[in-house]
Amino acid sequence: GDNEVYITFRAFSGVTMQMEFSAAPGNNLPDGGRVDLWWERNYPVNFLSHVDQSITFGIPAGADSAITVASYNNRSGSGAVDDISTFSGLGPRRDGVLKPDISSLGGMVMSSVPGGYDMFSGTSMSSPHVAGAVALLLQQDSSLTNYQVKNKLFTAATADQFTGPVPNPTWGYGKLNVLKAAGYRGIALIELGRDTLDFGSGLKLVAKEDSVD
């Protein structure tokens, strides 16, 4: 089983340390045993050797109940448009469980700020898209359970030439498609000057038929 060790360093700056992990006397490490290391995100730490960047998503995204959201690009700047963002965390979870769960727009997203608008990138931008989708699904049917909401989102997610076969530990189940998750065919078309969308009949007015059943 797992063993957790917490190490705290205080008042260090610009220091390079070498750490060696070994089994206690009488205990044997299994062949291929590994050590997973995390550090507090607000502190600049760089691991200099024996680094595997194949799994990069962080806490609390690994929680069982969380909907873990990857980011893909709305505009160029964090990679190619519609491709995964360079900063998007990669799974799976260290015990093999699929993470992230789904992906949404998070690279170069326009958002409101005091006095106007500004461009932002991050999973802090992609996650609100999915949170909004969850809210719309619950508005449509407030009796949905956590599992049912996830199932609607994941089974409706879109795969394309960027995602490749899904699910996978980069894109999860694919790109968010709230229209399909809500039971409508097509993709939403947002027209200039249209400020709000009614989740009921209004969605039908801005729906474009596609080839996805």
Side-chain angles (χ1 to χ4, degrees), residues 116-133:
Y117 301 89
D118 204 351
M119 196 91 67
F120 298 94
S121 294
T123 50
S124 296
M125 302 305 291
S126 60
S127 295
H129 283 88
V130 175

Side-chain angles (χ1 to χ4, degrees), residues 24 26 28 58 80 90 97 99 102 108-109 124 126 150 162 179-180 184-185 190 208 210:
N28 295 318
L90 305 174
V97 171
K99 289 289 181 179
I102 197 168
M108 307 297 288
V109 175
S124 296
S126 60
K150 285 185 174 183
F162 294 101
L179 198 66
K180 186 178 177 184
Y184 297 97
R185 288 177 55 88
I190 308 301
K208 172 184 176 183
D210 63 13

Side-chain angles (χ1 to χ4, degrees), residues 13 28 43 48 52 69 82 84 94 102 136 147 179-180:
S13 178
N28 295 318
Y43 297 91
L48 302 180
D52 180 358
V69 185
D82 287 332
I84 200 72
R94 62 187 300 268
I102 197 168
L136 290 174
Y147 171 81
L179 198 66
K180 186 178 177 184

